[in-house]
Amino acid sequence: MHFPGFSADATQFLITHRKISGVGIDTHGVDSGQDTNFTTNSLVLAKPRIVLENLTNLDQLPPQGTTLVIGILRLRGGSGSPAAVMAFF
């Protein structure tokens, strides 16, 4: 599988130096298609953070100053949920 994602080094940098609350990407996973260990998912979700996938129009957001509103379905026993994501800037 060949699609982009966050490298382990980039993810660790964001967690350590940028104190992120989560990551989002426009592909169907934050880990590259080559990463079968799901390193970014593991690093990000080791603490209460969020991973958003299949986002659109990310190129229209400014680099800083965006507020996200994320509506989720609370599913029992699942590892994820569909979400409605809106950005305000």
Side-chain angles (χ1 to χ4, degrees):
M1 297 197 319
H2 297 281
F3 53 89
F6 292 91
S7 70
D9 290 340
T11 303
Q12 193 60 56
F13 173 84
L14 292 170
I15 291 169
T16 306
H17 299 287
R18 296 294 188 252
K19 310 292 188 219
I20 61 168
S21 299
V23 293
I25 197 164
D26 60 353
T27 65
H28 67 276
V30 292
D31 297 290
S32 71
Q34 307 294 312
D35 185 354
T36 57
N37 294 319
F38 304 105
T39 306
T40 294
N41 266 294
S42 298
L43 289 169
V44 172
L45 298 176
K47 301 255 177 159
R49 297 186 196 101
I50 192 165
V51 171
L52 298 171
E53 302 166 345
N54 293 313
L55 298 173
T56 61
N57 301 318
L58 294 175
D59 60 324
Q60 297 178 24
L61 299 177
Q64 295 179 339
T66 301
T67 299
L68 295 181
V69 176
I70 305 164
I72 62 169
L73 295 173
R74 294 212 177 262
L75 302 175
R76 289 186 182 194
S79 63
S81 168
V85 181
M86 294 182 292
F88 296 94
F89 52 95

